[in-house]
Amino acid sequence: MPIPLRATDGAPLDNIAMGLGWDAPKWRLFGPRQSDIDLNAAALLFSGDQLVEAVYHDRLNSSDGAVRLHGDNLTGEGPGDDETITLDLDRLSSRINGVALLVTCYTGQTFDKIQNGFCRLLDRRSGSQITWQTMLRGPHTGMIMGILLRTQDGWQYTEIAQGITADHPREAMPQLARYLS
């Protein structure tokens, strides 16, 4: 069910953020040490079903500066959001009509190994949470958090919460097309 990105007074929410968090693997007294898990938040910008650009750990800003990844956490160490992508929807080019929000595991672990993983969407002006998702556990290495679509009435967000096989955002591309229309 699409969520219109509007404040309680009806004004458009044009400054939002995706937060991603997870816990680093715990040290064990016996047995081999668990490997670090490197999750990555990504925002893929589309015109129709054509990828225009991507913001992720290798490209921290969109060309217009409207979408920005604020650092790449390699381990999940620390409280709260480990990675944050901000989106200034008013500054996006008018040709951008879709944004896919993704999580991928760069180190290749499946999501059944992730502890306390979550994604959320926030209104940056008020600080209020639009949506919260507990990380979908399972045998996948990526997840489509949701899709932002530009409509005649403004931007709307549709939660997808679908596991995918993708260690890198480019590997998610074939799995996104059905959500962009």
Side-chain angles (χ1 to χ4, degrees):
M1 174 74 118
I3 301 169
L5 294 182
R6 299 230 170 250
T8 54
D9 66 0
L13 298 180
D14 55 6
N15 200 331
I16 62 173
M18 170 196 181
L20 165 64
W22 72 101
D23 286 344
K26 304 285 186 230
W27 285 86
R28 297 188 290 183
L29 291 176
F30 302 101
R33 180 185 184 279
Q34 292 181 329
S35 299
D36 286 338
I37 295 174
D38 179 7
L39 295 183
N40 288 310
L44 281 60
L45 286 61
F46 289 89
S47 177
D49 63 355
Q50 296 298 308
L51 179 67
V52 175
E53 65 182 315
V55 173
Y56 64 107
H57 65 276
D58 281 339
R59 183 177 167 97
L60 300 179
N61 297 295
S62 60
S63 57
D64 60 10
V67 181
R68 183 173 175 216
L69 173 63
H70 298 266
D72 182 17
N73 185 315
L74 304 177
T75 64
E77 196 67 44
D81 295 340
D82 295 308
E83 293 194 9
T84 303
I85 294 179
T86 55
L87 301 102
D88 187 346
L89 300 174
D90 277 352
R91 288 182 50 206
L92 279 175
S93 164
S94 60
R95 73 182 182 144
I96 303 299
N97 59 6
V99 179
L101 300 175
L102 307 175
V103 178
T104 58
C105 185
Y106 188 73
T107 46
Q109 289 96 332
T110 57
F111 278 33
D112 54 1
K113 305 262 190 280
I114 297 167
Q115 300 297 313
N116 303 315
F118 67 87
C119 314
R120 61 191 190 131
L121 195 63
L122 305 163
D123 171 9
R124 290 187 62 215
R125 292 203 200 305
S126 70
S128 64
Q129 196 162 264
I130 299 165
T131 185
W132 169 283
Q133 295 174 14
T134 299
M135 193 76 65
L136 182 66
R137 295 182 59 112
H140 45 275
T141 57
M143 184 178 104
I144 304 169
M145 176 185 167
I147 304 289
L148 293 159
L149 290 176
R150 189 189 308 249
T151 70
Q152 289 180 321
D153 298 324
W155 287 92
Q156 64 183 17
Y157 174 75
T158 301
E159 183 175 297
I160 305 296
Q162 177 65 49
I164 58 174
T165 301
D167 299 349
H168 191 278
R170 73 176 160 263
E171 295 168 1
M173 287 296 300
Q175 302 166 80
L176 292 172
R178 67 182 184 170
Y179 300 110
L180 293 168
S181 54

